[in-house]
Amino acid sequence: MEIYDVVIVGAGPAGITAGIYAKRARLETVVIEKLGVGGQIVLSDSVENYPGFPEISGYDLMQKFEEQARAFDLEIEDGEVIAIRDEGEYKLVKTDDRDYKTRSVIIASGAKSSHLDVKGEEEFIGRGVSFCATCDGFFFRGKDILVVGGGNSAITEALFLSKIVNKVYVAHRRSELRAAKILQERAFADPKIEFVWNSVVEEITGKDAVEGVVLRDVVTEERSKLAVSGVFMYVGLVPNTEFIDAEKDGAGFILTDERLATSIPGVFAAGDCRTTQLRQVATAVGDGALAAVSAERYLG
Amino acid sequence: MEIYDVVIVGAGPAGITAGIYAKRARLETVVIEKLGVGGQIVLSDSVENYPGFPEISGYDLMQKFEEQARAFDLEIEDGEVIAIRDEGEYKLVKTDDRDYKTRSVIIASGAKSSHLDVKGEEEFIGRGVSFCATCDGFFFRGKDILVVGGGNSAITEALFLSKIVNKVYVAHRRSELRAAKILQERAFADPKIEFVWNSVVEEITGKDAVEGVVLRDVVTEERSKLAVSGVFMYVGLVPNTEFIDAEKDGAGFILTDERLATSIPGVFAAGDCRTTQLRQVATAVGDGALAAVSAERYLG
C-alpha cells in the first residue's frame, strides 16, 4: 500500500488550501471528503468578505478553489473517515470503505449546524425544517417562515429568504443580534423581516409537514404559537471530530498550538473543526496554508 | 477631533482585510499607508497560492482587495505612522503630518526586505542593487544578474528574471533551497538559472553601477569574483514596527495572543509584522479578519 505524505480530511476552504500548499511542496497528498467539495460555505448564497471577490456565492467560490487545486493535480476522493490510528511509523486513516497509510494528517473536517433538540425537529427535516436556505429556500416561495438564530449566518440567510418568501420571522434568544452591523442594518430595513426577541423554539408542530412553532419568551416565560411553513436553523456549530482522539475542548473542537499541531504528533488541524476565535473563509485559508507548511516541516 | 473606533496601520493584505471586516462591523475606520496600497505583495510578479486565483500578479490581486474595501467606503489615507501613544481614554496615532485619535489600533505594517550590510550595497541601490525584480527586472534585459537567497521569494523572482535577462545566478548560503518544491523543480529545469551553493556575498563592486560581486564559499572559505550587472536581494524580512512599543521578539516582530492582541490593551497586530509561523497572503487575510473582529469585541 502506498504511503502518503499527508492525508487531508475534508475538502472545504481549509482542506483545499492545505491541498494546494501540500502539492506545491510536492508532498504525496490526498484529500478525503464525505459529502461534496466545498464544505459548509457552499450552502451560503452570498459571500462578501473573502478578499478578492466583492460578491460571490459560496458554491462558485469553492469551484474556483477546486479548479486551482486540480491544476496542481490534487487528488480528492470520496469517503467518510471513521478512525485515525497511530501505527508508529505511519498513521492509518480508515474510511467507510478503505484504509490510507500516511506519515501526517491534516484534519479540516469542519462543522455542521447545531440542532435545537426540540420536539418535531428531527421528524420534520426535509418537510419544513432546514439547515440550508440556499438549498431549500425556493420551496417556500410565497410562504411564511422562521429563521432561528442571531449571528452572521442567521441574518445573511434571513435576507436571502426574504427575497423568496412572503414573510421572514427571526427568533433570537437575546434582545440584540451578534451579526455584523451591516447585516443588522439591512435586516432592520427589510419590510419582510420581523424579529421575535428573547425567544426560543420549544416545539415544531404540524401533521405531514411543518405548520407552526411554539415559542417561549425567556424573559416573561410566556408561550405563543406562530404559524410558519418552514423553520431554518442557524444556532451554532458542532465540529465533525468524532473520528479523532486528539485533545478537544468541551464542545468537541480540536485544540492546536501555534503551528496548528494537535496533541498527536504528525496530526494537524485547520479551519472550523479546531478551537479558534473566528470561523470564516478568510481564516480557513490561513489555517490551511499553515497546516500544510507545518506538515511539510514535520516530515522534513 | 473625531475619535475613530479603529485605526489600521498599513494597507497590505492584512490591513485591507481588517478594513473590510471593520467597515462591515460599522466601525469608524481609517487605514494609514505610507507607500501605496498593497504592501510587499505588489512587488510579486505572480501569485499562485492565494485560493480563488490560479495565477494573478500581486498588483492585480491587491487592486481587487482595494476595490472591495472601497465598496464598503473604507478610507485609506497617505501617511507614515511615527508613534502611537496611549492617552487612557483613547490612543493617539501620530503620523508625519497629523494625529489620529482612536479607541483601538490594528498594526498591519508588514515587513521589508533585509539588507546584507555588505560593502557596495547601499551605494548601488538603484544602480544595480534591487529588492524588487518586478520593478527593476526590465532594466537588466540581456544582462547577467545575481539573485541572493533560497526561499520562496528568491526562487519565484529568479524564475521571473530568467525570462528577461541573459543569465541568472542564484547564490544561497546553504546547499539546498527552502523554497516550495514546485518552485525548486522549475528553477532546476531552467537552463538560464545557475546555482552557486554555500555562498554568501561579501562585497558588491563597480564604478558608477554594479559590475560584479565577491562571493565567499562558507565551506571552503574560498573567495571568487562573479561579473554581474544586477544583484537582487531576497534574504529575509525586517518588520516595520519601530513606531510601536508593544512587546516584540528578538527580530522586532510583534508578539500577539490567540486573538492577535498585543501587550498594549486595544492594540492588535496582523500579518507579516507579527511573530508568526508563515507569511503569505492567505495567512495575512486570516489575520486581518480576526484582528478586526477582536477589535470589535474589545470596543463592545
Side-chain angles (χ1 to χ4, degrees):
Chain A
M1 196 196 293
E2 178 182 15
I3 299 193
Y4 286 97
D5 292 317
V6 58
V7 168
I8 299 167
V9 183
I16 295 289
T17 303
I20 290 171
Y21 271 79
K23 290 299 289 189
R24 286 175 59 83
R26 291 302 192 230
L27 302 181
E28 282 297 322
T29 307
V30 64
V31 179
I32 306 172
E33 168 58 48
K34 74 172 170 181
L35 291 168
V37 172
Q40 286 261 312
I41 193 69
V42 302
L43 307 182
S44 284
D45 175 55
S46 171
V47 178
E48 295 182 336
N49 57 9
Y50 180 65
F53 298 93
E55 208 220 319
I56 188 167
S57 72
Y59 182 82
D60 288 345
L61 182 60
M62 291 315 300
Q63 288 276 106
K64 288 178 186 291
F65 276 41
E66 182 179 0
E67 279 165 30
Q68 189 168 348
R70 299 274 190 198
F72 293 115
D73 297 319
L74 181 64
E75 258 184 88
I76 305 174
E77 298 198 352
D78 294 332
E80 176 164 6
V81 174
I82 51 176
I84 297 176
R85 284 218 313 259
D86 202 331
E87 303 278 333
E89 57 189 321
Y90 61 85
K91 291 155 217 315
L92 203 62
V93 177
K94 301 177 77 70
T95 72
D96 42 358
D97 74 13
R98 61 165 284 200
D99 290 355
Y100 298 81
K101 285 186 180 177
T102 182
R103 298 196 291 138
S104 73
V105 178
I106 295 171
I107 300 173
S109 49
K112 54 184 178 291
S113 295
S114 296
H115 287 210
L116 289 175
D117 292 327
V118 297
K119 198 174 162 212
E121 183 181 33
E122 294 301 316
E123 181 186 348
F124 289 122
I125 286 176
R127 291 181 295 146
V129 169
S130 172
F131 299 87
C132 176
T134 312
C135 318
D136 301 329
F138 191 70
F139 302 118
F140 299 90
R141 60 190 184 282
K143 304 207 168 146
D144 295 354
I145 61 102
L146 174 69
V147 169
V148 186
N152 286 319
S153 299
I155 305 309
T156 299
E157 302 310 321
L159 287 162
F160 169 73
L161 288 163
S162 92
K163 291 175 226 151
I164 303 170
V165 304
N166 178 60
K167 173 104 192 174
V168 178
Y169 296 96
V170 178
H172 184 45
R173 61 188 166 147
R174 302 187 200 285
S175 60
E176 57 179 8
L177 302 175
R178 273 183 302 109
K181 286 287 189 310
I182 192 170
L183 297 172
Q184 297 192 27
E185 287 166 17
R186 289 179 194 164
F188 295 148
D190 188 323
K192 290 168 83 176
I193 297 180
E194 183 176 332
F195 286 87
V196 189
W197 299 109
N198 300 311
S199 294
V200 297
V201 173
E202 282 221 322
E203 187 182 343
I204 299 169
T205 58
K207 287 200 193 81
D208 299 326
V210 170
E211 292 170 17
V213 295
V214 177
L215 295 172
R216 177 170 58 87
D217 186 308
V218 295
V219 178
T220 64
E221 290 295 327
E222 275 171 25
R223 284 171 178 74
S224 61
K225 289 184 181 181
L226 186 68
V228 289
S229 308
V231 182
F232 289 82
M233 308 287 186
Y234 293 98
V235 294
L237 293 173
V238 180
N240 301 316
T241 56
E242 314 76 22
F243 57 85
I244 178 78
D245 281 333
E247 276 178 33
K248 298 172 194 170
D249 68 19
F253 294 98
I254 300 168
L255 297 171
T256 52
D257 69 10
E258 74 284 358
R259 296 171 304 128
L260 302 184
T262 70
S263 59
I264 304 171
V267 178
F268 302 84
D272 285 3
C273 68
R274 74 178 186 94
T275 302
T276 181
Q277 296 287 319
L278 186 65
R279 294 188 174 88
Q280 296 279 294
V281 178
T283 51
V285 302
D287 272 18
L290 176 55
V293 170
S294 291
E296 186 192 4
R297 290 174 186 162
Y298 168 82
L299 294 168
Chain B
M1 195 196 291
E2 179 182 15
I3 300 193
Y4 286 96
D5 292 317
V6 59
V7 168
I8 298 167
V9 184
I16 295 290
T17 304
I20 290 170
Y21 272 78
K23 291 300 290 189
R24 286 174 60 83
R26 290 300 193 230
L27 302 181
E28 283 296 324
T29 307
V30 64
V31 179
I32 306 172
E33 168 58 47
K34 74 173 170 180
L35 291 168
V37 172
Q40 285 260 312
I41 194 69
V42 301
L43 307 181
S44 284
D45 175 55
S46 171
V47 178
E48 296 183 336
N49 58 9
Y50 181 64
F53 298 92
E55 208 219 320
I56 189 167
S57 73
Y59 182 83
D60 288 345
L61 182 60
M62 292 315 300
Q63 288 277 103
K64 288 178 187 290
F65 277 42
E66 183 180 357
E67 279 165 29
Q68 190 168 349
R70 299 274 189 198
F72 293 115
D73 295 319
L74 181 64
E75 258 183 87
I76 304 175
E77 297 198 354
D78 294 332
E80 175 164 6
V81 174
I82 52 176
I84 297 175
R85 284 217 313 260
D86 202 333
E87 304 279 332
E89 58 190 319
Y90 61 85
K91 291 156 218 312
L92 203 61
V93 177
K94 300 178 78 69
T95 72
D96 42 359
D97 74 13
R98 60 165 286 201
D99 291 354
Y100 297 81
K101 284 185 180 177
T102 181
R103 299 197 289 140
S104 73
V105 178
I106 295 171
I107 300 173
S109 49
K112 55 183 176 294
S113 295
S114 297
H115 288 209
L116 289 176
D117 291 327
V118 297
K119 199 174 160 213
E121 183 182 34
E122 294 301 317
E123 183 185 347
F124 290 121
I125 286 175
R127 291 181 295 146
V129 170
S130 172
F131 299 86
C132 177
T134 312
C135 319
D136 301 329
F138 191 68
F139 302 117
F140 298 91
R141 60 190 184 283
K143 304 207 169 143
D144 295 354
I145 60 101
L146 175 69
V147 168
V148 187
N152 286 319
S153 299
I155 304 309
T156 300
E157 301 310 322
L159 287 162
F160 169 72
L161 288 163
S162 92
K163 291 176 225 149
I164 303 170
V165 305
N166 178 60
K167 174 100 191 178
V168 179
Y169 295 97
V170 178
H172 184 44
R173 62 188 166 148
R174 300 187 201 285
S175 60
E176 56 178 10
L177 302 175
R178 273 184 303 111
K181 286 285 190 310
I182 193 170
L183 297 172
Q184 297 192 26
E185 286 165 18
R186 289 180 194 164
F188 294 148
D190 188 324
K192 289 168 83 176
I193 298 180
E194 184 176 330
F195 287 87
V196 190
W197 299 109
N198 301 310
S199 293
V200 296
V201 173
E202 281 221 322
E203 188 182 341
I204 299 169
T205 57
K207 285 199 192 83
D208 299 327
V210 169
E211 292 170 17
V213 296
V214 177
L215 296 171
R216 179 169 56 87
D217 186 308
V218 296
V219 178
T220 65
E221 290 295 328
E222 275 172 27
R223 283 170 178 75
S224 60
K225 289 184 181 180
L226 186 67
V228 289
S229 308
V231 182
F232 289 81
M233 307 288 186
Y234 293 98
V235 294
L237 293 173
V238 181
N240 302 316
T241 57
E242 314 76 22
F243 58 85
I244 178 79
D245 281 332
E247 276 178 32
K248 299 171 194 171
D249 67 20
F253 294 97
I254 300 168
L255 298 171
T256 51
D257 69 9
E258 75 284 359
R259 296 172 301 128
L260 303 185
T262 71
S263 59
I264 305 170
V267 178
F268 302 84
D272 285 2
C273 68
R274 76 178 185 94
T275 302
T276 181
Q277 297 286 319
L278 186 64
R279 294 188 173 89
Q280 297 277 294
V281 178
T283 51
V285 303
D287 272 18
L290 176 54
V293 170
S294 291
E296 185 192 4
R297 289 173 185 162
Y298 167 82
L299 294 168

